[in-house]
Amino acid sequence: MFLRNCWYVAGWSYDIAVDSVLSRTMLGEPVVLYRKADGGVVALEDRCCHRLAPLSRGRIEGDDLRCMYHGLKFAPSGKCVEVPGQDLIPPTAMVRSYPVVEQDCWVWLWMGDPALADPALIPAALGHGDADWFMQTGQLAYEANYELINDNLLDLTHLSYVHEKTLGRNSMSWGESRPKITPIERGLRIARWVVDNPAPGYLDLAPGTRTDMWASYDYMVAGVFLLATQSFPPGTAAACGMQAPSAEPLWRSMTSQAVTPITEHQTIYYYSGCLPKSYVTEENSRQQLVVFEKAFAEDNAMIEAQQRVIDGTAQPAMLGTSSDNALNQFRRLMAGLIEAERPHRLSAAE
Ligand code: FES
Ligand SMILES: [Fe+2]
């Protein structure tokens, strides 16, 4: 089950090069992406309406895309504008066209009713393309349902276990933290102090440096994770009464991550790491990405293994714990939105 009336990341802007045609599967639908002459991105159904050949094997001609099987040509609207060998273009000769917005270095597609595609609903990624921040990026494919990845990002106690030696830094600080969860429009805000947390190795700090870190993220439908952290001297969390800090931190970091279903069984995950140029070197930023890549491979291994166990279990039942609070709230939010967009069922009387 997918939420269709939603913006999904289809790729990084750099994934769609000029004069190249990119094929993606999103929410089980084949999509082809390319750039028009003015650089704007077009997203069409990757399935020619003639004999169902993939348009991703086609040729860009100006703003249009020509199917390279028998030559039908399609405009960015999805309408067929040329049928070789005949003058009449049937009105049904068209493929689906998806609303596209390129924002914050990501290409976003609206997978539902185009009339409802409001760009204001696109979550704002943190620091992407900001000249004051170094940004590193990556992507990772999963053989797992997207909800398991959402669950993972909504319960960061796993940092102390799955990422024991990477993001967890051999500390129980994350595992023992207690987040405050607040519902927001189309998402949840999850904030906490991670107390007495070892500083990351990629920052060239004195060995053994520890901080109190305020970590707050918004988790937006259908799977967008927007985390900002602020690190302070140890003792700051207690001095703030465990409330949000107002002082200037020692340093900040930001990461944005987007979960896009490919099918019910496959998912792609796009992520960034941003660090302030005022505090770190580009090499620090590159080293952060090395840690991220290692850590996200750890998530990938655990979640794919979890998916295999679930698939092999006749009636999978899960035990609730307090750390499931956010993921349960988010699953309920998603289930409500998915239910709301289902066509109304006719009652027996009708
Ligand atoms: S399948 Fe595309 S033109 Fe025939
Ligand atoms: Fe993780």
Side-chain angles (χ1 to χ4, degrees):
M1 297 281 276
F2 303 122
L3 178 65
R4 298 210 169 256
N5 287 319
C6 188
W7 294 99
Y8 287 88
V9 174
W12 291 99
S13 287
Y14 58 68
D15 289 335
I16 307 171
V18 174
D19 288 333
S20 76
V21 179
L22 180 72
S23 170
R24 287 271 199 254
T25 302
M26 296 174 60
L27 284 61
E29 297 179 18
V31 178
V32 56
L33 299 123
Y34 67 96
R35 289 188 185 276
K36 295 185 290 188
D38 68 0
V41 178
V42 178
L44 300 177
E45 179 183 352
D46 191 11
R47 180 168 40 207
C48 179
C49 57
H50 178 222
R51 306 294 296 173
L52 312 187
L55 291 177
S56 52
R57 297 180 75 90
R59 181 170 72 200
I60 301 167
E61 295 186 6
D63 288 354
D64 302 334
L65 185 61
R66 187 183 296 279
C67 178
M68 289 302 280
Y69 198 172
H70 314 98
L72 267 67
K73 189 164 87 164
F74 297 89
S77 65
K79 196 171 165 3
C80 179
V81 291
E82 190 183 319
V83 180
Q86 69 181 56
D87 295 332
L88 182 74
I89 299 175
T92 52
M94 55 170 20
V95 295
R96 182 169 174 190
S97 171
Y98 296 87
V100 188
V101 173
E102 198 168 2
Q103 180 174 303
D104 300 330
C105 309
W106 271 336
V107 176
W108 298 83
L109 259 58
W110 180 266
M111 299 301 292
D113 178 354
L116 302 176
D118 178 0
L121 294 176
I122 298 174
L126 305 177
H128 285 193
D130 186 326
D132 294 335
W133 293 70
F134 290 115
M135 179 170 84
Q136 305 289 339
T137 65
Q139 53 193 287
L140 182 64
Y142 271 84
E143 293 290 324
N145 179 270
Y146 72 96
E147 285 195 289
L148 294 183
I149 304 165
N150 283 347
D151 291 348
N152 169 274
L153 292 165
L154 284 154
D155 175 7
L156 297 187
T157 60
H158 82 268
L159 266 67
S160 293
Y161 300 96
V162 175
H163 308 306
E164 186 181 18
K165 295 186 172 52
T166 51
L167 301 176
R169 301 174 203 141
N170 295 303
S171 160
M172 284 305 299
S173 313
W174 278 97
E176 290 169 350
S177 66
R178 293 281 173 271
K180 180 167 183 242
I181 304 164
T182 312
I184 56 175
E185 189 70 26
R186 288 171 77 85
L188 297 175
R189 179 159 297 161
I190 299 165
R192 80 191 85 200
W193 279 102
V194 185
V195 177
D196 197 29
N197 190 42
Y202 50 75
L203 285 186
D204 300 334
L205 298 166
T209 301
R210 302 176 87 89
T211 67
D212 284 357
M213 182 170 72
W214 175 251
S216 177
Y217 64 99
D218 289 352
Y219 206 85
M220 311 300 294
V221 295
V224 179
F225 172 90
L226 305 164
L227 168 69
T229 72
Q230 302 176 52
S231 295
F232 296 88
T236 305
C240 291
M242 302 306 280
Q243 300 301 307
S246 52
E248 197 50 33
L250 298 171
W251 73 84
R252 300 170 189 270
S253 74
M254 300 194 292
T255 175
S256 303
Q257 305 173 14
V259 175
T260 299
I262 298 172
T263 64
E264 292 282 359
H265 310 288
Q266 295 173 305
T267 306
I268 188 156
Y269 173 56
Y270 302 96
Y271 56 87
S272 69
C274 293
L275 288 168
K277 289 183 178 174
S278 60
Y279 189 79
V280 308
T281 65
E282 193 161 12
E283 181 56 21
N284 296 142
S285 163
R286 274 197 286 267
Q287 289 307 314
Q288 184 197 43
L289 183 71
V290 171
V291 175
F292 277 14
E293 286 173 342
K294 207 167 164 191
F296 298 156
E298 293 167 340
D299 284 315
N300 185 278
M302 178 61 84
I303 293 169
E304 289 190 350
Q306 177 194 22
Q307 180 73 73
R308 287 193 293 274
V309 172
I310 291 171
D311 291 345
T313 305
Q315 289 176 322
M318 298 191 186
L319 172 79
T321 70
S322 61
S323 72
D324 303 331
N325 195 341
L327 67 90
N328 284 336
Q329 285 192 44
F330 193 76
R331 278 186 176 243
R332 279 198 294 276
L333 170 64
M334 286 286 290
L337 290 169
I338 290 170
E339 181 60 30
E341 66 183 24
R342 279 158 66 114
H344 290 299
R345 297 212 178 111
L346 294 176
S347 73
E350 296 168 309

Short mmCIF file of all heavy atoms in Angstrom, two decimals, residues 142 152-153 155-156 158-159 162-163 167 257 269 295-296 298-300 303, ligand 2:
data_model
loop_
_atom_site.label_atom_id
_atom_site.label_comp_id
_atom_site.label_asym_id
_atom_site.label_seq_id
_atom_site.Cartn_x
_atom_site.Cartn_y
_atom_site.Cartn_z
N TYR A 142 17.39 -0.86 -1.34
CA TYR A 142 17.01 -1.85 -0.34
C TYR A 142 16.12 -2.92 -0.95
O TYR A 142 15.21 -2.61 -1.72
CB TYR A 142 16.16 -1.18 0.75
CG TYR A 142 16.90 -0.59 1.91
CD1 TYR A 142 17.43 0.69 1.85
CD2 TYR A 142 17.03 -1.30 3.09
CE1 TYR A 142 18.09 1.25 2.94
CE2 TYR A 142 17.68 -0.75 4.18
CZ TYR A 142 18.21 0.51 4.10
OH TYR A 142 18.84 1.05 5.18
N ASN A 152 12.81 2.34 11.01
CA ASN A 152 14.20 2.45 11.46
C ASN A 152 14.56 3.90 11.77
O ASN A 152 15.19 4.22 12.78
CB ASN A 152 15.10 1.88 10.34
CG ASN A 152 16.57 2.17 10.54
OD1 ASN A 152 17.06 3.22 10.14
ND2 ASN A 152 17.28 1.24 11.14
N LEU A 153 14.12 4.81 10.90
CA LEU A 153 14.48 6.22 11.07
C LEU A 153 13.64 6.90 12.16
O LEU A 153 13.99 7.98 12.63
CB LEU A 153 14.30 6.96 9.74
CG LEU A 153 15.31 6.52 8.65
CD1 LEU A 153 14.86 7.00 7.28
CD2 LEU A 153 16.69 7.06 8.98
N ASP A 155 13.02 5.41 15.02
CA ASP A 155 13.45 4.89 16.32
C ASP A 155 14.98 4.87 16.34
O ASP A 155 15.60 3.90 15.94
CB ASP A 155 12.89 3.48 16.54
CG ASP A 155 13.41 2.87 17.83
OD1 ASP A 155 14.10 3.58 18.59
OD2 ASP A 155 13.15 1.67 18.05
N LEU A 156 15.56 5.96 16.81
CA LEU A 156 17.02 6.09 16.75
C LEU A 156 17.72 5.42 17.93
O LEU A 156 18.93 5.54 18.06
CB LEU A 156 17.42 7.56 16.61
CG LEU A 156 16.94 8.23 15.32
CD1 LEU A 156 17.53 9.64 15.20
CD2 LEU A 156 17.28 7.44 14.07
N HIS A 158 18.29 2.59 17.84
CA HIS A 158 19.10 1.58 17.15
C HIS A 158 20.53 2.07 16.89
O HIS A 158 21.41 1.27 16.59
CB HIS A 158 18.41 1.15 15.84
CG HIS A 158 18.63 2.06 14.67
ND1 HIS A 158 17.77 3.08 14.34
CD2 HIS A 158 19.62 2.10 13.74
CE1 HIS A 158 18.22 3.70 13.25
NE2 HIS A 158 19.34 3.13 12.87
N LEU A 159 20.77 3.38 17.05
CA LEU A 159 22.14 3.87 16.82
C LEU A 159 23.15 3.21 17.77
O LEU A 159 24.30 2.98 17.41
CB LEU A 159 22.22 5.39 16.97
CG LEU A 159 22.07 6.17 15.65
CD1 LEU A 159 20.68 6.03 15.08
CD2 LEU A 159 22.43 7.64 15.83
N VAL A 162 22.76 -1.18 16.18
CA VAL A 162 23.12 -1.43 14.77
C VAL A 162 24.41 -0.67 14.42
O VAL A 162 25.27 -1.17 13.70
CB VAL A 162 21.98 -0.95 13.83
CG1 VAL A 162 22.39 -1.10 12.36
CG2 VAL A 162 20.70 -1.74 14.09
N HIS A 163 24.52 0.54 14.95
CA HIS A 163 25.67 1.40 14.61
C HIS A 163 26.62 1.55 15.80
O HIS A 163 27.17 2.63 16.04
CB HIS A 163 25.17 2.79 14.19
CG HIS A 163 24.13 2.73 13.12
ND1 HIS A 163 24.33 2.08 11.93
CD2 HIS A 163 22.88 3.26 13.06
CE1 HIS A 163 23.23 2.19 11.18
NE2 HIS A 163 22.34 2.90 11.84
N LEU A 167 27.87 5.39 14.00
CA LEU A 167 27.13 6.54 14.52
C LEU A 167 26.93 6.46 16.04
O LEU A 167 26.82 7.49 16.72
CB LEU A 167 25.76 6.64 13.83
CG LEU A 167 25.78 6.80 12.31
CD1 LEU A 167 24.37 6.80 11.75
CD2 LEU A 167 26.49 8.09 11.90
N GLN A 257 17.14 12.96 4.50
CA GLN A 257 17.10 11.62 3.93
C GLN A 257 15.69 11.34 3.43
O GLN A 257 14.72 11.75 4.07
CB GLN A 257 17.51 10.60 5.01
CG GLN A 257 18.89 10.94 5.61
CD GLN A 257 19.32 10.10 6.79
OE1 GLN A 257 18.74 9.07 7.06
NE2 GLN A 257 20.35 10.56 7.49
N TYR A 269 16.80 4.90 -1.15
CA TYR A 269 17.00 5.80 -0.03
C TYR A 269 18.07 6.83 -0.44
O TYR A 269 19.17 6.45 -0.86
CB TYR A 269 17.47 4.91 1.13
CG TYR A 269 17.91 5.54 2.40
CD1 TYR A 269 17.09 6.39 3.11
CD2 TYR A 269 19.15 5.22 2.95
CE1 TYR A 269 17.50 6.93 4.32
CE2 TYR A 269 19.57 5.73 4.15
CZ TYR A 269 18.73 6.58 4.83
OH TYR A 269 19.13 7.09 6.03
N ALA A 295 27.57 3.26 8.01
CA ALA A 295 26.41 3.11 8.90
C ALA A 295 25.16 2.70 8.10
O ALA A 295 24.40 1.83 8.54
CB ALA A 295 26.15 4.43 9.63
N PHE A 296 24.97 3.28 6.94
CA PHE A 296 23.74 2.96 6.19
C PHE A 296 23.83 1.55 5.60
O PHE A 296 22.81 0.89 5.40
CB PHE A 296 23.45 4.03 5.14
CG PHE A 296 23.21 5.39 5.75
CD1 PHE A 296 23.41 6.56 5.03
CD2 PHE A 296 22.77 5.51 7.06
CE1 PHE A 296 23.18 7.82 5.60
CE2 PHE A 296 22.55 6.75 7.65
CZ PHE A 296 22.75 7.91 6.92
N GLU A 298 25.08 -0.78 7.39
CA GLU A 298 24.66 -1.56 8.58
C GLU A 298 23.13 -1.61 8.67
O GLU A 298 22.55 -2.66 8.95
CB GLU A 298 25.24 -0.91 9.85
CG GLU A 298 26.75 -1.01 9.94
CD GLU A 298 27.37 -0.12 11.02
OE1 GLU A 298 26.73 0.86 11.47
OE2 GLU A 298 28.52 -0.40 11.41
N ASP A 299 22.48 -0.46 8.45
CA ASP A 299 21.00 -0.45 8.42
C ASP A 299 20.49 -1.40 7.35
O ASP A 299 19.56 -2.18 7.58
CB ASP A 299 20.48 0.96 8.09
CG ASP A 299 20.57 1.91 9.25
OD1 ASP A 299 20.21 1.53 10.37
OD2 ASP A 299 21.01 3.06 9.02
N ASN A 300 21.09 -1.30 6.17
CA ASN A 300 20.66 -2.09 5.03
C ASN A 300 20.72 -3.58 5.35
O ASN A 300 19.77 -4.33 5.10
CB ASN A 300 21.55 -1.73 3.84
CG ASN A 300 21.11 -2.39 2.55
OD1 ASN A 300 21.43 -3.54 2.33
ND2 ASN A 300 20.38 -1.68 1.72
N ILE A 303 17.98 -4.42 8.07
CA ILE A 303 16.58 -4.33 7.61
C ILE A 303 16.27 -5.39 6.55
O ILE A 303 15.20 -5.99 6.55
CB ILE A 303 16.29 -2.89 7.10
CG1 ILE A 303 16.36 -1.92 8.27
CG2 ILE A 303 14.92 -2.82 6.43
CD1 ILE A 303 16.34 -0.46 7.87
FE FE B 2 20.46 3.60 11.16
#
